[in-house]
Amino acid sequence: MEEEVHRNVRRFFELQAKVDELYFYINHISDIVQEMTRSLEDFRRYYPYIDFIDVEGFYKRLAKKCKFISESIFKMLLEMKKRRIKEGKW
């Protein structure tokens, strides 16, 4: 059991380092998309070259996963806080 915990913690931090790097790129993509979508005229110039429907779907799926992660962690932090308060350890 403890070995599994250590393995998952190690894997978590390995993957989190990659996610941190991806966040850097997502910020750049966000800047580019902001430029592409300033107006309908700008958007039309880029539309023939980029499958925006696919891109939009990808970021919706990514947002859904991020929301799930955030809500899962928040739920357990809240549960832990409630338990500690109940035990008088908060």
Side-chain angles (χ1 to χ4, degrees):
M1 180 74 164
E2 198 65 26
E3 183 180 314
E4 179 184 359
V5 169
H6 289 294
R7 185 175 55 249
N8 284 338
V9 167
R10 185 177 60 250
R11 188 71 179 136
F12 171 84
F13 283 111
E14 289 171 357
L15 293 172
Q16 185 60 49
K18 293 178 182 193
V19 170
D20 290 344
E21 186 178 345
L22 287 175
Y23 185 73
F24 170 80
Y25 294 111
I26 288 172
N27 279 320
H28 286 292
I29 290 288
S30 177
D31 293 342
I32 292 168
V33 168
Q34 184 177 9
E35 185 178 322
M36 292 176 171
T37 58
R38 280 185 303 215
S39 69
L40 185 55
E41 291 76 25
D42 288 333
F43 186 71
R44 283 182 176 155
R45 288 177 34 227
Y46 295 102
Y47 189 79
Y49 305 103
I50 298 172
D51 183 350
F52 284 105
I53 294 170
D54 188 48
V55 171
E56 191 260 351
F58 170 79
Y59 283 102
K60 271 189 176 177
R61 291 188 305 276
L62 182 60
K64 191 174 181 179
K65 288 290 185 183
C66 291
K67 183 178 179 184
F68 171 79
I69 292 167
S70 176
E71 289 175 350
S72 296
I73 292 169
F74 178 79
K75 179 180 165 186
M76 286 296 104
L77 288 171
L78 187 61
E79 186 65 33
M80 190 167 61
K81 182 178 180 180
K82 287 179 186 177
R83 187 169 291 175
R84 285 184 167 185
I85 289 171
K86 188 176 180 180
E87 294 171 352
K89 296 179 181 178
W90 191 257

